[in-house]
Amino acid sequence: MGAGKTSVSRYMARRWKFSAIDLDVYLERREGRVIRDIFAEDGEAAFRAIETDVLREVGESPNPSLVSCGGGIVERPENRELLERLGTVVHLRVSADEAAGRISNKSTRPLFNDIEGARALCERRAPLYDAAADVVVDTAGKSVAQIAYEVMRALRRRGDVWPQPKDGQAAAEERDTLS
């Protein structure tokens, strides 16, 4: 939470014409309920099972997409295996304190009302994120555009996407974003 997954994937989708899916939004639309209600009515175990089903469903699409997953997706070993099979996993690394500073409306992210709890959760999940990730990008102090360009460079280095020809304006924009 608060790493910028949704913002970065949206930026990349607009900038480089990728298809992007926010797994939490997809899940809520499919279920006809918000995640908070699923947790309250059915519990975390039921939510995690739905999340796995949705990840599998999205992963079966023949069209490549950027998929921003909820922060807890790595909790289930089955999800980590799915992520490994489905494509390149990018971990946007953020500390609990940095994430808390980015979240303006804590009512949508109640975990950050208890910063100690958020820190403990981040520490517990960190090894799971690192194990699942093919690429790790530290997001501290960076804008959405800077993070997106860093992710794109990493994907190009890996051969996951091809560089697009740059016109003069695009090259200048990239230089400005990276400075």
Side-chain angles (χ1 to χ4, degrees):
M1 277 187 275
K5 300 177 298 289
T6 299
S7 298
V8 170
S9 66
R10 284 180 183 160
Y11 182 95
M12 292 179 74
R14 282 190 313 271
R15 175 66 181 92
W16 291 290
K17 311 296 186 246
F18 288 125
S19 170
I21 299 168
D22 183 301
L23 205 66
D24 286 347
V25 171
Y26 182 91
L27 185 152
E28 288 178 338
R29 288 184 181 159
R30 192 187 91 164
E31 294 300 305
R33 301 184 284 169
V34 296
I35 292 170
R36 177 181 58 250
D37 292 345
I38 297 169
F39 264 81
E41 296 165 10
D42 303 337
E44 183 174 1
F47 168 75
R48 295 294 174 203
I50 295 167
E51 184 178 52
T52 298
D53 188 46
V54 168
L55 178 62
R56 188 177 293 110
E57 191 175 300
V58 167
E60 290 172 353
S61 169
N63 302 318
S65 297
L66 296 170
V67 179
S68 54
C69 300
I73 195 102
V74 296
E75 298 275 356
R76 296 182 85 185
E78 180 179 3
N79 291 346
R80 294 191 303 272
E81 291 170 14
L82 276 167
L83 289 168
E84 185 178 338
R85 283 199 321 265
L86 295 176
T88 301
V89 177
V90 178
H91 171 201
L92 300 182
R93 184 177 288 148
V94 64
S95 71
D97 294 291
E98 175 103 5
R102 293 178 181 175
I103 299 169
S104 57
N105 182 359
K106 303 278 192 289
S107 70
T108 63
R109 308 291 177 96
L111 175 66
F112 285 96
N113 290 325
D114 170 19
I115 192 63
E116 290 304 321
R119 287 180 186 134
L121 182 62
C122 287
E123 284 181 36
R124 187 182 87 230
R125 287 180 179 170
L128 301 174
Y129 293 140
D130 289 339
D134 298 301
V135 173
V136 177
V137 174
D138 183 5
T139 67
K142 296 177 184 167
S143 70
V144 168
Q146 288 170 321
I147 296 165
Y149 275 95
E150 194 169 331
V151 169
M152 189 62 162
R153 278 193 310 273
L155 295 176
R156 285 177 177 157
R157 277 193 304 272
R158 291 177 48 82
D160 293 328
V161 294
W162 293 98
Q164 296 175 337
K166 291 183 192 157
D167 60 22
Q169 181 179 353
E173 176 185 311
E174 185 167 353
R175 271 193 314 276
D176 292 343
T177 302
L178 298 175
S179 1

CSV table of all heavy atoms in Angstrom, one decimal, residues 65-99:
chain,number,residue,atom,x,y,z
A,65,SER,N,-0.6,-7.3,-20.2
A,65,SER,CA,-1.1,-6.2,-19.5
A,65,SER,C,-0.1,-5.9,-18.3
A,65,SER,O,0.5,-6.8,-17.7
A,65,SER,CB,-2.5,-6.4,-18.9
A,65,SER,OG,-3.4,-6.6,-19.9
A,66,LEU,N,-0.2,-4.6,-17.9
A,66,LEU,CA,0.4,-4.3,-16.6
A,66,LEU,C,-0.7,-4.6,-15.5
A,66,LEU,O,-1.8,-4.1,-15.7
A,66,LEU,CB,0.8,-2.8,-16.5
A,66,LEU,CG,1.8,-2.3,-17.5
A,66,LEU,CD1,1.8,-0.7,-17.5
A,66,LEU,CD2,3.2,-2.8,-17.1
A,67,VAL,N,-0.3,-5.3,-14.5
A,67,VAL,CA,-1.3,-5.7,-13.5
A,67,VAL,C,-0.8,-5.1,-12.2
A,67,VAL,O,0.3,-5.6,-11.7
A,67,VAL,CB,-1.6,-7.2,-13.4
A,67,VAL,CG1,-2.6,-7.5,-12.3
A,67,VAL,CG2,-2.0,-7.7,-14.8
A,68,SER,N,-1.5,-4.2,-11.6
A,68,SER,CA,-1.1,-3.7,-10.2
A,68,SER,C,-1.9,-4.5,-9.2
A,68,SER,O,-3.2,-4.6,-9.3
A,68,SER,CB,-1.3,-2.2,-10.1
A,68,SER,OG,-2.7,-1.9,-10.4
A,69,CYS,N,-1.2,-5.2,-8.4
A,69,CYS,CA,-1.8,-6.1,-7.4
A,69,CYS,C,-1.9,-5.4,-6.0
A,69,CYS,O,-1.1,-4.6,-5.7
A,69,CYS,CB,-1.0,-7.4,-7.2
A,69,CYS,SG,-0.8,-8.3,-8.8
A,70,GLY,N,-2.8,-5.9,-5.2
A,70,GLY,CA,-2.9,-5.4,-3.9
A,70,GLY,C,-1.7,-5.9,-3.1
A,70,GLY,O,-1.0,-6.8,-3.4
A,71,GLY,N,-1.4,-5.1,-2.0
A,71,GLY,CA,-0.1,-5.3,-1.3
A,71,GLY,C,-0.1,-6.7,-0.6
A,71,GLY,O,1.0,-7.2,-0.4
A,72,GLY,N,-1.2,-7.3,-0.4
A,72,GLY,CA,-1.2,-8.6,0.3
A,72,GLY,C,-1.2,-9.8,-0.6
A,72,GLY,O,-1.2,-11.0,-0.2
A,73,ILE,N,-1.1,-9.6,-1.9
A,73,ILE,CA,-1.1,-10.7,-2.9
A,73,ILE,C,0.0,-11.7,-2.6
A,73,ILE,O,-0.2,-12.9,-2.9
A,73,ILE,CB,-1.0,-10.2,-4.3
A,73,ILE,CG1,-1.5,-11.3,-5.3
A,73,ILE,CG2,0.3,-9.7,-4.7
A,73,ILE,CD1,-2.8,-11.1,-5.8
A,74,VAL,N,1.1,-11.3,-2.1
A,74,VAL,CA,2.3,-12.2,-1.9
A,74,VAL,C,2.1,-13.1,-0.6
A,74,VAL,O,2.9,-14.0,-0.4
A,74,VAL,CB,3.6,-11.4,-1.7
A,74,VAL,CG1,3.9,-10.7,-3.0
A,74,VAL,CG2,3.5,-10.5,-0.5
A,75,GLU,N,1.0,-12.9,0.1
A,75,GLU,CA,0.8,-13.6,1.3
A,75,GLU,C,0.6,-15.1,1.1
A,75,GLU,O,1.0,-16.0,1.9
A,75,GLU,CB,-0.4,-13.1,2.1
A,75,GLU,CG,-0.2,-11.7,2.6
A,75,GLU,CD,0.5,-11.6,3.9
A,75,GLU,OE1,0.8,-12.6,4.5
A,75,GLU,OE2,0.7,-10.4,4.3
A,76,ARG,N,0.0,-15.5,-0.1
A,76,ARG,CA,-0.3,-16.9,-0.4
A,76,ARG,C,0.7,-17.4,-1.3
A,76,ARG,O,1.0,-16.9,-2.4
A,76,ARG,CB,-1.7,-17.0,-1.0
A,76,ARG,CG,-2.8,-16.6,-0.1
A,76,ARG,CD,-4.2,-16.8,-0.8
A,76,ARG,NE,-4.6,-18.2,-0.6
A,76,ARG,CZ,-5.7,-18.7,-1.2
A,76,ARG,NH1,-6.4,-17.9,-2.0
A,76,ARG,NH2,-6.0,-19.9,-1.0
A,77,PRO,N,1.3,-18.6,-1.0
A,77,PRO,CA,2.3,-19.2,-1.8
A,77,PRO,C,1.8,-19.4,-3.3
A,77,PRO,O,2.5,-19.3,-4.2
A,77,PRO,CB,2.6,-20.5,-1.1
A,77,PRO,CG,2.3,-20.3,0.3
A,77,PRO,CD,1.2,-19.3,0.3
A,78,GLU,N,0.5,-19.8,-3.4
A,78,GLU,CA,-0.1,-20.0,-4.7
A,78,GLU,C,0.0,-18.8,-5.5
A,78,GLU,O,0.2,-18.8,-6.7
A,78,GLU,CB,-1.5,-20.5,-4.5
A,78,GLU,CG,-2.3,-20.8,-5.8
A,78,GLU,CD,-3.7,-21.2,-5.5
A,78,GLU,OE1,-4.2,-21.3,-4.3
A,78,GLU,OE2,-4.4,-21.5,-6.5
A,79,ASN,N,-0.2,-17.6,-4.9
A,79,ASN,CA,-0.2,-16.4,-5.7
A,79,ASN,C,1.2,-16.1,-6.2
A,79,ASN,O,1.4,-15.6,-7.3
A,79,ASN,CB,-0.7,-15.2,-4.8
A,79,ASN,CG,-2.2,-15.3,-4.6
A,79,ASN,OD1,-2.9,-16.0,-5.2
A,79,ASN,ND2,-2.6,-14.5,-3.6
A,80,ARG,N,2.2,-16.3,-5.3
A,80,ARG,CA,3.6,-16.1,-5.7
A,80,ARG,C,4.0,-17.0,-6.9
A,80,ARG,O,4.6,-16.6,-7.8
A,80,ARG,CB,4.5,-16.3,-4.5
A,80,ARG,CG,4.3,-15.3,-3.4
A,80,ARG,CD,5.4,-15.3,-2.4
A,80,ARG,NE,5.6,-16.5,-1.7
A,80,ARG,CZ,4.9,-16.9,-0.6
A,80,ARG,NH1,4.0,-16.1,-0.1
A,80,ARG,NH2,5.2,-18.1,0.0
A,81,GLU,N,3.5,-18.3,-6.9
A,81,GLU,CA,3.7,-19.2,-8.0
A,81,GLU,C,3.0,-18.7,-9.3
A,81,GLU,O,3.6,-18.7,-10.3
A,81,GLU,CB,3.2,-20.6,-7.6
A,81,GLU,CG,4.1,-21.3,-6.6
A,81,GLU,CD,3.4,-22.5,-6.1
A,81,GLU,OE1,2.5,-23.1,-6.7
A,81,GLU,OE2,3.9,-23.0,-5.0
A,82,LEU,N,1.8,-18.2,-9.1
A,82,LEU,CA,1.1,-17.6,-10.3
A,82,LEU,C,1.8,-16.4,-10.8
A,82,LEU,O,2.0,-16.3,-12.1
A,82,LEU,CB,-0.3,-17.2,-9.9
A,82,LEU,CG,-1.4,-18.3,-9.9
A,82,LEU,CD1,-2.6,-17.7,-9.1
A,82,LEU,CD2,-1.7,-18.7,-11.3
A,83,LEU,N,2.3,-15.5,-10.0
A,83,LEU,CA,3.0,-14.3,-10.4
A,83,LEU,C,4.2,-14.7,-11.2
A,83,LEU,O,4.5,-14.2,-12.2
A,83,LEU,CB,3.3,-13.4,-9.2
A,83,LEU,CG,2.2,-12.7,-8.6
A,83,LEU,CD1,2.6,-12.1,-7.2
A,83,LEU,CD2,1.6,-11.7,-9.5
A,84,GLU,N,4.9,-15.7,-10.7
A,84,GLU,CA,6.2,-16.2,-11.4
A,84,GLU,C,5.9,-16.7,-12.8
A,84,GLU,O,6.6,-16.4,-13.7
A,84,GLU,CB,6.9,-17.2,-10.5
A,84,GLU,CG,8.2,-17.7,-11.1
A,84,GLU,CD,8.9,-18.7,-10.2
A,84,GLU,OE1,8.6,-18.8,-9.0
A,84,GLU,OE2,9.7,-19.4,-10.7
A,85,ARG,N,4.8,-17.4,-12.9
A,85,ARG,CA,4.4,-18.0,-14.2
A,85,ARG,C,3.9,-17.0,-15.2
A,85,ARG,O,4.0,-17.1,-16.4
A,85,ARG,CB,3.4,-19.1,-14.0
A,85,ARG,CG,3.9,-20.4,-13.5
A,85,ARG,CD,3.0,-21.6,-13.8
A,85,ARG,NE,1.6,-21.3,-13.6
A,85,ARG,CZ,0.9,-21.5,-12.5
A,85,ARG,NH1,1.5,-22.0,-11.5
A,85,ARG,NH2,-0.4,-21.3,-12.4
A,86,LEU,N,3.2,-15.9,-14.6
A,86,LEU,CA,2.5,-15.0,-15.5
A,86,LEU,C,3.3,-13.9,-16.1
A,86,LEU,O,2.9,-13.4,-17.1
A,86,LEU,CB,1.3,-14.4,-14.7
A,86,LEU,CG,0.2,-15.4,-14.2
A,86,LEU,CD1,-0.8,-14.6,-13.4
A,86,LEU,CD2,-0.4,-16.0,-15.4
A,87,GLY,N,4.4,-13.6,-15.6
A,87,GLY,CA,5.2,-12.6,-16.2
A,87,GLY,C,6.3,-12.0,-15.3
A,87,GLY,O,6.6,-12.5,-14.3
A,88,THR,N,6.8,-10.8,-15.7
A,88,THR,CA,7.8,-10.1,-14.9
A,88,THR,C,7.1,-9.4,-13.7
A,88,THR,O,6.1,-8.7,-13.9
A,88,THR,CB,8.5,-9.1,-15.8
A,88,THR,OG1,9.1,-9.8,-16.9
A,88,THR,CG2,9.6,-8.4,-15.0
A,89,VAL,N,7.6,-9.7,-12.5
A,89,VAL,CA,7.1,-9.1,-11.3
A,89,VAL,C,8.0,-7.9,-10.9
A,89,VAL,O,9.2,-8.1,-10.7
A,89,VAL,CB,7.0,-10.1,-10.2
A,89,VAL,CG1,6.5,-9.4,-8.9
A,89,VAL,CG2,6.1,-11.2,-10.6
A,90,VAL,N,7.4,-6.7,-10.8
A,90,VAL,CA,8.1,-5.5,-10.4
A,90,VAL,C,7.7,-5.2,-9.0
A,90,VAL,O,6.5,-5.0,-8.7
A,90,VAL,CB,7.9,-4.4,-11.3
A,90,VAL,CG1,8.6,-3.1,-10.8
A,90,VAL,CG2,8.3,-4.7,-12.7
A,91,HIS,N,8.6,-5.1,-8.0
A,91,HIS,CA,8.3,-4.7,-6.7
A,91,HIS,C,8.7,-3.2,-6.5
A,91,HIS,O,9.8,-2.9,-6.7
A,91,HIS,CB,9.1,-5.5,-5.7
A,91,HIS,CG,9.0,-5.1,-4.3
A,91,HIS,ND1,10.0,-5.4,-3.3
A,91,HIS,CD2,8.2,-4.3,-3.6
A,91,HIS,CE1,9.7,-4.9,-2.2
A,91,HIS,NE2,8.6,-4.2,-2.3
A,92,LEU,N,7.7,-2.4,-6.3
A,92,LEU,CA,7.9,-1.0,-6.0
A,92,LEU,C,8.1,-0.9,-4.5
A,92,LEU,O,7.2,-0.9,-3.7
A,92,LEU,CB,6.7,-0.1,-6.4
A,92,LEU,CG,6.4,-0.2,-7.9
A,92,LEU,CD1,5.3,0.8,-8.2
A,92,LEU,CD2,7.6,0.1,-8.8
A,93,ARG,N,9.4,-0.8,-4.1
A,93,ARG,CA,9.7,-0.8,-2.6
A,93,ARG,C,9.5,0.5,-2.0
A,93,ARG,O,9.9,1.5,-2.5
A,93,ARG,CB,11.2,-1.2,-2.5
A,93,ARG,CG,11.6,-1.4,-1.0
A,93,ARG,CD,13.0,-1.8,-0.8
A,93,ARG,NE,13.1,-3.2,-1.2
A,93,ARG,CZ,14.2,-3.7,-1.8
A,93,ARG,NH1,15.3,-3.0,-2.0
A,93,ARG,NH2,14.3,-5.0,-2.1
A,94,VAL,N,8.8,0.5,-0.9
A,94,VAL,CA,8.5,1.7,-0.1
A,94,VAL,C,8.5,1.4,1.4
A,94,VAL,O,8.0,0.3,1.7
A,94,VAL,CB,7.1,2.3,-0.6
A,94,VAL,CG1,6.0,1.4,-0.3
A,94,VAL,CG2,6.9,3.7,0.0
A,95,SER,N,8.9,2.3,2.2
A,95,SER,CA,8.9,2.0,3.6
A,95,SER,C,7.5,2.4,4.1
A,95,SER,O,6.7,3.1,3.5
A,95,SER,CB,9.9,2.9,4.4
A,95,SER,OG,9.5,4.3,4.3
A,96,ALA,N,7.1,1.9,5.2
A,96,ALA,CA,5.8,2.2,5.8
A,96,ALA,C,5.7,3.7,6.1
A,96,ALA,O,4.6,4.3,5.8
A,96,ALA,CB,5.6,1.4,7.1
A,97,ASP,N,6.7,4.3,6.5
A,97,ASP,CA,6.7,5.8,6.8
A,97,ASP,C,6.5,6.6,5.5
A,97,ASP,O,5.7,7.5,5.5
A,97,ASP,CB,7.9,6.2,7.5
A,97,ASP,CG,8.0,5.6,8.9
A,97,ASP,OD1,7.2,5.9,9.8
A,97,ASP,OD2,8.9,4.7,9.1
A,98,GLU,N,7.2,6.2,4.5
A,98,GLU,CA,7.0,6.9,3.2
A,98,GLU,C,5.6,6.7,2.6
A,98,GLU,O,5.0,7.6,2.2
A,98,GLU,CB,8.1,6.4,2.2
A,98,GLU,CG,7.9,7.0,0.8
A,98,GLU,CD,8.9,8.0,0.4
A,98,GLU,OE1,9.8,8.3,1.2
A,98,GLU,OE2,8.8,8.6,-0.7
A,99,ALA,N,5.1,5.5,2.7
A,99,ALA,CA,3.8,5.2,2.2
A,99,ALA,C,2.8,6.0,3.0
A,99,ALA,O,1.8,6.5,2.4
A,99,ALA,CB,3.5,3.7,2.4
